[in-house]
Amino acid sequence: MSKSANLYARIEPEVKEQAEAILSALGIPASNAINMFYKQIILQRGLPFAVKLPAPPPDASAMTPQELDAFIDAGYQDMQSGQVKPADEVFEGLYKRYGI
C-alpha cells in the first residue's frame, strides 16, 4: 500500500464498540473496513446501501379484522416454527429503534 491519509470521525461509543467487536471476530481491522466502505462508495457512485426510513410498526387499530387475524396467525406460525426471541430482547430493540 502506498501513502495513507488520516480520517477523523466522531462515532457513538456504543456503535463503535459493537462494530469493532464484529470486525474483530471477522479478523478485519477497522481501518480496512473503512477503506472497503470508501471503495464501495466509489464503485457504486453513492452509498452502497439504501438510505431510507424503516417501515412504521404495525398499527392494529388501522387493520381490518381479517388483516389483524392474518398478522396474529403469522406470529403464531413463527412461534410454532421456533422463530422466537426473549421478550426483554424484543423490547430493548424496540426502545432503541423507536426511542421509547
Side-chain angles (χ1 to χ4, degrees):
M1 183 165 45
S2 60
K3 295 183 180 181
S4 64
N6 291 329
L7 173 69
Y8 299 97
R10 293 187 182 274
I11 299 173
E12 296 172 28
E14 186 177 313
V15 170
K16 179 180 182 285
E17 183 179 307
Q18 289 177 11
E20 287 182 353
I22 293 168
L23 291 171
S24 177
L26 294 170
I28 301 172
S31 59
N32 287 21
I34 293 167
N35 198 41
M36 287 189 283
F37 176 62
Y38 271 46
K39 286 182 179 186
Q40 283 298 309
I41 290 172
I42 294 165
L43 287 170
Q44 301 294 324
R45 299 181 54 86
L47 291 176
F49 49 81
V51 178
K52 57 185 180 179
L53 295 173
D59 181 1
S61 66
M63 293 181 185
T64 66
Q66 295 80 12
E67 291 172 329
L68 183 56
D69 285 346
F71 185 74
I72 291 171
D73 188 52
Y76 182 72
Q77 294 302 320
D78 285 347
M79 184 190 71
Q80 291 283 342
S81 66
Q83 297 179 23
V84 296
K85 290 184 180 180
D88 58 343
E89 185 180 320
V90 172
F91 284 112
E92 183 179 327
L94 289 171
Y95 295 146
K96 285 182 180 178
R97 183 172 183 177
Y98 297 106
I100 322 174

